[in-house]
Amino acid sequence: MSGVSEQPFLDDLALSLEEAWRLLVSGSKDRKSPLHTPSVATVQNNGSPSQRIMVLREAAREDRILRFNTDVRASKVVDIGDGGPVSILGYHPEAKVQLRLSGLGRIEHNSSAGDAAWNEATLYGKRCYLADPAPGSPVRAPTSGLDPAVEGRKPEGFEVAPARENFAILLIEIDKIEWLYLAHTGHRRALFTWNMDNSKWDGQWLVP
């Protein structure tokens, strides 16, 4: 027998939430997962939205935290400030699940968590933060922003060490998850909101 009921989580709010976090955690670890590179949106000072694709580095369900690496000079850092709203959108075609998440973001630069993330990063990853001038700066000709001495090759550790000053992490404390399962036999949609008073997720079915 075919149909959405073949997936137990599709008719169970708790299992749907489990599936959402399972996909996020997997996405943070698996480079081939579509959820490894979701769209992350912030709000600029003029009120307009700003989106970009980012690499999901960590998903910690117990803390409701998603972590991304960023350049401290990037515009999103200004958007978020001391704590600004952030929205994340990802779609996993094989799982047939779309996730829309939102919460408050914060930037950590010189912190133990920032140091740990820096130490985790590859030499190629660290090289990105050597860009000069800062990301988003207008230039007269196309450029990577990298010094030709390190462009096009794997750098040495001492060469990327100065980039630590530009490296930061974006931590987003998730307080809302909208889960959508797409199927020709019938979609499923649910909304999960973090209940601060009871320290738990409140779930509700929605019409897809």
Side-chain angles (χ1 to χ4, degrees):
M1 180 179 178
S2 62
V4 293
S5 60
E6 291 180 352
Q7 296 284 7
F9 59 79
L10 295 179
D11 293 318
D12 187 303
L13 281 171
L15 292 181
S16 294
L17 182 61
E18 289 282 347
E19 177 68 0
W21 278 108
R22 184 191 71 79
L23 290 171
L24 287 168
V25 171
S26 176
S28 70
K29 299 176 180 179
D30 182 4
R31 292 184 178 184
K32 295 182 179 180
S33 168
L35 294 181
H36 191 58
T37 51
S39 172
V40 178
T42 54
V43 181
Q44 298 177 314
N45 288 333
N46 63 6
S48 62
S50 179
Q51 297 184 62
R52 74 284 294 164
I53 298 297
M54 297 186 72
V55 177
L56 177 60
R57 300 294 181 179
E58 184 179 358
R61 178 178 179 178
E62 290 186 2
D63 299 322
R64 299 181 288 115
I65 294 289
L66 300 185
R67 175 175 67 85
F68 302 85
N69 297 342
T70 186
D71 194 305
V72 76
R73 302 167 295 171
S75 61
K76 72 177 82 66
V77 174
V78 177
D79 297 344
I80 293 167
D82 294 330
V86 182
S87 177
I88 304 100
L89 173 65
Y91 177 62
H92 196 302
E94 184 178 345
K96 296 184 285 189
V97 170
Q98 173 186 275
L99 293 174
R100 293 202 301 172
L101 307 98
S102 59
L104 282 181
R106 70 178 188 273
I107 302 295
E108 289 195 9
H109 185 203
N110 296 316
S111 68
S112 58
D115 288 339
W118 173 257
N119 292 333
E120 267 183 22
T122 66
L123 289 172
Y124 279 119
K126 292 176 179 178
R127 188 183 65 174
C128 298
Y129 302 94
L130 289 171
D132 185 32
S137 298
V139 291
R140 294 183 177 181
T143 178
S144 67
L146 296 175
D147 188 312
V150 296
E151 192 171 32
R153 68 173 176 85
K154 185 177 182 179
E156 300 291 339
F158 72 90
E159 292 177 300
V160 297
R164 175 63 184 89
E165 183 59 29
N166 298 327
F167 177 85
I169 57 175
L170 165 58
L171 300 174
I172 307 168
E173 187 174 25
I174 302 300
D175 55 29
K176 187 176 293 184
I177 300 173
E178 186 174 303
W179 176 92
L180 176 65
Y181 180 91
L182 300 173
H184 70 279
T185 49
H187 306 328
R188 290 288 189 275
R189 184 180 177 189
L191 176 65
F192 302 95
T193 305
W194 182 251
N195 186 321
M196 293 290 292
D197 294 332
N198 298 320
S199 297
K200 69 180 185 67
W201 289 100
D202 291 335
Q204 178 181 1
W205 292 113
L206 303 175
V207 176

Coordinates of all heavy atoms in Angstrom, one line a residue, residues 33-85:
S33 N 25.1 16.4 1.8 CA 23.7 16.7 2.2 C 23.2 18.0 1.7 O 24.0 19.0 1.8 CB 23.5 16.6 3.7 OG 22.2 17.1 4.1
P34 N 22.0 18.1 1.1 CA 21.5 19.4 0.6 C 21.4 20.4 1.8 O 21.4 21.6 1.6 CB 20.2 19.1 0.0 CG 20.3 17.6 -0.3 CD 21.1 17.0 0.7
L35 N 21.2 19.9 3.0 CA 21.1 20.8 4.2 C 22.4 21.2 4.7 O 22.5 22.0 5.7 CB 20.3 20.1 5.3 CG 18.8 19.8 4.9 CD1 18.1 19.1 6.1 CD2 18.1 21.1 4.5
H36 N 23.5 20.8 4.1 CA 24.8 21.3 4.5 C 25.0 22.8 4.1 O 25.8 23.5 4.7 CB 25.9 20.5 3.8 CG 27.3 20.7 4.4 ND1 27.6 20.5 5.7 CD2 28.5 21.1 3.7 CE1 28.9 20.8 5.9 NE2 29.4 21.1 4.7
T37 N 24.3 23.2 3.1 CA 24.4 24.6 2.6 C 23.0 25.3 2.5 O 22.5 25.5 1.4 CB 25.1 24.7 1.2 OG1 24.5 23.7 0.3 CG2 26.6 24.3 1.4
P38 N 22.4 25.6 3.6 CA 21.1 26.3 3.5 C 21.2 27.7 3.2 O 22.3 28.3 3.2 CB 20.5 26.0 5.0 CG 21.8 26.0 5.8 CD 22.8 25.4 5.0
S39 N 20.1 28.4 3.0 CA 20.1 29.8 2.8 C 19.8 30.5 4.2 O 19.0 30.0 5.0 CB 18.9 30.2 1.9 OG 18.7 31.6 1.9
V40 N 20.6 31.5 4.5 CA 20.6 32.2 5.8 C 20.2 33.6 5.5 O 20.9 34.3 4.8 CB 21.9 32.1 6.6 CG1 21.8 32.8 7.9 CG2 22.3 30.6 6.8
A41 N 19.1 34.1 6.1 CA 18.6 35.5 5.9 C 18.7 36.3 7.2 O 18.4 35.8 8.3 CB 17.2 35.4 5.4
T42 N 19.1 37.5 7.0 CA 19.2 38.5 8.1 C 18.4 39.7 7.6 O 17.9 39.8 6.5 CB 20.6 38.9 8.4 OG1 21.3 39.4 7.2 CG2 21.4 37.7 9.0
V43 N 18.2 40.7 8.5 CA 17.5 41.9 8.2 C 18.5 43.1 8.3 O 19.1 43.3 9.4 CB 16.3 42.1 9.2 CG1 15.6 43.4 8.9 CG2 15.4 41.0 9.2
Q44 N 18.6 43.9 7.3 CA 19.5 45.0 7.2 C 18.9 46.2 8.0 O 17.7 46.2 8.4 CB 19.7 45.4 5.8 CG 20.4 44.3 5.0 CD 20.6 44.7 3.5 OE1 19.7 45.3 2.9 NE2 21.8 44.5 3.0
N45 N 19.7 47.2 8.3 CA 19.3 48.3 9.1 C 18.1 49.1 8.5 O 17.3 49.7 9.2 CB 20.5 49.3 9.3 CG 21.5 48.7 10.3 OD1 21.2 47.9 11.1 ND2 22.8 49.1 10.1
N46 N 18.0 49.0 7.1 CA 16.9 49.7 6.5 C 15.7 48.8 6.4 O 14.7 49.3 5.8 CB 17.4 50.1 5.1 CG 17.7 49.0 4.2 OD1 17.5 47.8 4.5 ND2 18.2 49.3 3.0
G47 N 15.7 47.7 7.0 CA 14.5 46.8 7.1 C 14.4 45.8 6.0 O 13.5 45.0 6.0
S48 N 15.3 45.9 5.0 CA 15.2 44.9 3.8 C 15.9 43.6 4.2 O 16.9 43.6 4.9 CB 15.8 45.5 2.6 OG 17.2 45.8 2.8
P49 N 15.4 42.5 3.6 CA 16.1 41.2 3.9 C 17.3 41.0 3.1 O 17.5 41.6 2.0 CB 15.0 40.2 3.5 CG 14.2 40.9 2.4 CD 14.2 42.4 2.8
S50 N 18.2 40.2 3.6 CA 19.5 39.9 2.9 C 19.8 38.4 3.1 O 19.8 37.9 4.2 CB 20.6 40.7 3.5 OG 21.9 40.4 2.9
Q51 N 19.9 37.7 2.0 CA 20.1 36.2 2.0 C 21.5 35.9 1.5 O 22.0 36.6 0.6 CB 19.1 35.5 1.2 CG 17.7 35.7 1.7 CD 16.7 34.9 0.9 OE1 16.8 33.6 0.9 NE2 15.8 35.5 0.2
R52 N 22.0 34.7 1.9 CA 23.2 34.1 1.4 C 23.2 32.6 1.7 O 22.6 32.2 2.7 CB 24.5 34.8 1.9 CG 24.8 34.5 3.3 CD 24.0 35.2 4.4 NE 24.2 36.6 4.3 CZ 23.4 37.4 4.9 NH1 22.3 37.0 5.6 NH2 23.6 38.7 4.9
I53 N 23.9 31.9 0.9 CA 24.1 30.4 1.2 C 25.3 30.3 2.2 O 26.4 30.9 1.9 CB 24.4 29.6 -0.1 CG1 23.2 29.7 -1.0 CG2 24.7 28.2 0.2 CD1 21.9 29.1 -0.5
M54 N 25.1 29.5 3.2 CA 26.2 29.3 4.2 C 26.4 27.8 4.5 O 25.4 27.0 4.2 CB 25.9 30.1 5.5 CG 25.9 31.6 5.3 SD 25.7 32.5 6.9 CE 27.4 32.2 7.6
V55 N 27.5 27.5 4.9 CA 27.8 26.1 5.3 C 27.4 25.8 6.7 O 27.9 26.5 7.6 CB 29.3 25.7 5.1 CG1 29.6 24.3 5.5 CG2 29.7 25.9 3.6
L56 N 26.5 24.9 6.9 CA 26.1 24.5 8.3 C 27.2 23.7 8.9 O 27.5 22.6 8.5 CB 24.8 23.7 8.3 CG 24.3 23.2 9.6 CD1 24.0 24.4 10.6 CD2 23.0 22.4 9.4
R57 N 27.8 24.2 10.0 CA 29.0 23.5 10.6 C 28.6 22.6 11.8 O 29.3 21.7 12.1 CB 30.0 24.6 11.1 CG 30.5 25.5 10.0 CD 31.4 24.7 9.0 NE 31.9 25.5 7.9 CZ 32.7 25.1 7.0 NH1 33.1 23.8 6.9 NH2 33.2 25.9 6.1
E58 N 27.5 23.0 12.4 CA 27.1 22.2 13.6 C 25.6 22.4 13.9 O 25.1 23.5 13.7 CB 27.9 22.7 14.8 CG 27.7 21.9 16.1 CD 28.5 22.4 17.3 OE1 29.3 23.3 17.1 OE2 28.4 21.8 18.4
A59 N 25.0 21.4 14.3 CA 23.6 21.5 14.8 C 23.4 20.7 16.1 O 23.6 19.5 16.2 CB 22.6 20.8 13.7
A60 N 23.2 21.5 17.2 CA 23.1 21.0 18.5 C 21.7 21.0 19.0 O 21.2 22.1 19.4 CB 24.0 21.7 19.4
R61 N 21.0 19.9 18.9 CA 19.6 19.9 19.3 C 19.3 20.3 20.7 O 18.4 21.0 21.0 CB 19.0 18.5 19.0 CG 17.5 18.4 19.4 CD 16.9 17.1 19.1 NE 15.5 17.2 19.5 CZ 14.6 16.2 19.4 NH1 14.9 15.1 18.8 NH2 13.4 16.4 19.8
E62 N 20.1 19.7 21.7 CA 19.9 20.0 23.1 C 19.9 21.5 23.4 O 19.2 22.0 24.2 CB 20.8 19.2 23.9 CG 20.6 17.7 24.0 CD 21.5 17.0 24.9 OE1 22.3 17.7 25.6 OE2 21.4 15.8 25.0
D63 N 20.8 22.2 22.7 CA 20.9 23.6 22.9 C 20.1 24.5 21.9 O 20.1 25.7 22.0 CB 22.4 24.0 22.8 CG 23.3 23.4 23.9 OD1 22.8 23.2 25.0 OD2 24.4 23.0 23.6
R64 N 19.5 23.8 20.9 CA 18.8 24.5 19.9 C 19.7 25.4 19.1 O 19.2 26.5 18.6 CB 17.6 25.2 20.4 CG 16.6 24.4 21.1 CD 15.4 25.2 21.6 NE 15.7 26.0 22.8 CZ 15.7 27.3 22.8 NH1 15.4 28.0 21.7 NH2 16.1 28.0 23.9
I65 N 20.9 25.1 18.9 CA 21.9 26.0 18.3 C 22.3 25.4 16.9 O 22.7 24.3 16.8 CB 23.1 26.1 19.1 CG1 22.8 26.9 20.4 CG2 24.2 26.9 18.4 CD1 22.4 28.3 20.3
L66 N 22.4 26.3 15.9 CA 23.0 26.0 14.6 C 24.2 27.0 14.5 O 24.1 28.1 14.9 CB 22.1 26.3 13.4 CG 20.8 25.5 13.4 CD1 20.0 25.9 12.1 CD2 21.0 24.0 13.5
R67 N 25.3 26.4 14.1 CA 26.6 27.2 14.0 C 27.0 27.3 12.5 O 27.1 26.3 11.8 CB 27.7 26.6 14.8 CG 29.0 27.3 14.6 CD 30.1 26.9 15.5 NE 30.6 25.5 15.2 CZ 31.5 25.2 14.3 NH1 32.0 26.1 13.6 NH2 31.8 23.9 14.2
F68 N 27.4 28.5 12.1 CA 28.0 28.8 10.9 C 29.3 29.6 11.1 O 29.4 30.3 12.1 CB 27.1 29.6 10.0 CG 25.7 29.0 9.7 CD1 24.7 29.1 10.6 CD2 25.5 28.3 8.5 CE1 23.5 28.5 10.3 CE2 24.3 27.7 8.3 CZ 23.3 27.8 9.2
N69 N 30.3 29.5 10.2 CA 31.5 30.3 10.3 C 31.3 31.5 9.4 O 30.6 31.5 8.4 CB 32.7 29.5 9.8 CG 33.0 28.4 10.7 OD1 32.5 28.3 11.8 ND2 33.8 27.4 10.2
T70 N 31.9 32.7 9.8 CA 31.7 33.9 9.0 C 32.9 34.8 9.2 O 33.7 34.6 10.1 CB 30.4 34.6 9.5 OG1 30.2 35.8 8.6 CG2 30.6 35.1 10.9
D71 N 33.0 35.7 8.3 CA 34.0 36.8 8.4 C 33.5 37.9 9.3 O 32.3 38.4 9.0 CB 34.4 37.3 7.0 CG 35.7 38.1 7.0 OD1 35.7 39.1 7.8 OD2 36.6 37.8 6.2
V72 N 34.2 38.3 10.3 CA 33.7 39.3 11.2 C 33.4 40.7 10.5 O 32.7 41.5 11.0 CB 34.7 39.5 12.4 CG1 35.9 40.3 12.0 CG2 34.0 40.2 13.6
R73 N 34.0 40.8 9.3 CA 33.8 42.1 8.5 C 32.6 42.0 7.6 O 32.3 43.0 6.9 CB 35.1 42.3 7.7 CG 36.4 42.5 8.5 CD 37.6 42.4 7.6 NE 37.7 41.1 6.9 CZ 38.6 40.9 6.0 NH1 39.4 41.8 5.6 NH2 38.7 39.7 5.4
A74 N 31.9 40.9 7.5 CA 30.8 40.7 6.6 C 29.6 41.5 7.0 O 29.4 41.8 8.2 CB 30.4 39.2 6.5
S75 N 28.7 41.8 6.0 CA 27.5 42.6 6.3 C 26.6 42.0 7.2 O 25.9 42.6 8.0 CB 26.9 43.0 5.0 OG 26.4 41.8 4.3
K76 N 26.5 40.6 7.2 CA 25.6 39.9 8.1 C 25.9 40.2 9.6 O 25.0 40.2 10.4 CB 25.6 38.4 7.8 CG 26.8 37.7 8.2 CD 26.7 36.2 8.0 CE 27.1 35.8 6.6 NZ 28.5 36.1 6.2
V77 N 27.2 40.4 9.9 CA 27.6 40.7 11.2 C 27.0 42.0 11.7 O 26.5 42.1 12.9 CB 29.1 40.7 11.3 CG1 29.6 41.1 12.7 CG2 29.7 39.3 11.0
V78 N 26.9 43.0 10.8 CA 26.3 44.3 11.1 C 24.8 44.1 11.3 O 24.2 44.6 12.2 CB 26.6 45.3 10.0 CG1 25.9 46.6 10.3 CG2 28.1 45.5 9.9
D79 N 24.2 43.3 10.4 CA 22.7 43.0 10.5 C 22.4 42.4 11.9 O 21.4 42.8 12.5 CB 22.3 42.0 9.4 CG 22.5 42.6 8.0 OD1 22.7 43.8 7.9 OD2 22.5 41.7 7.1
I80 N 23.2 41.5 12.3 CA 22.8 40.8 13.6 C 23.1 41.6 14.8 O 22.4 41.5 15.8 CB 23.6 39.4 13.6 CG1 23.0 38.5 12.5 CG2 23.4 38.7 14.9 CD1 23.8 37.3 12.2
G81 N 24.2 42.3 14.8 CA 24.6 43.1 15.9 C 24.7 42.3 17.2 O 25.3 41.2 17.2
D82 N 24.2 42.8 18.3 CA 24.3 42.1 19.6 C 23.3 40.9 19.7 O 23.3 40.2 20.7 CB 24.1 43.1 20.8 CG 25.2 44.1 20.8 OD1 26.3 43.7 20.4 OD2 25.0 45.2 21.3
G83 N 22.4 40.8 18.7 CA 21.4 39.8 18.7 C 20.2 40.1 17.8 O 19.3 40.9 18.2
G84 N 20.3 39.6 16.6 CA 19.3 40.0 15.6 C 18.5 38.7 15.1 O 19.1 37.6 15.2
P85 N 17.4 38.9 14.5 CA 16.6 37.8 13.9 C 17.3 37.2 12.7 O 17.8 37.9 11.9 CB 15.3 38.4 13.6 CG 15.6 39.8 13.3 CD 16.7 40.2 14.3

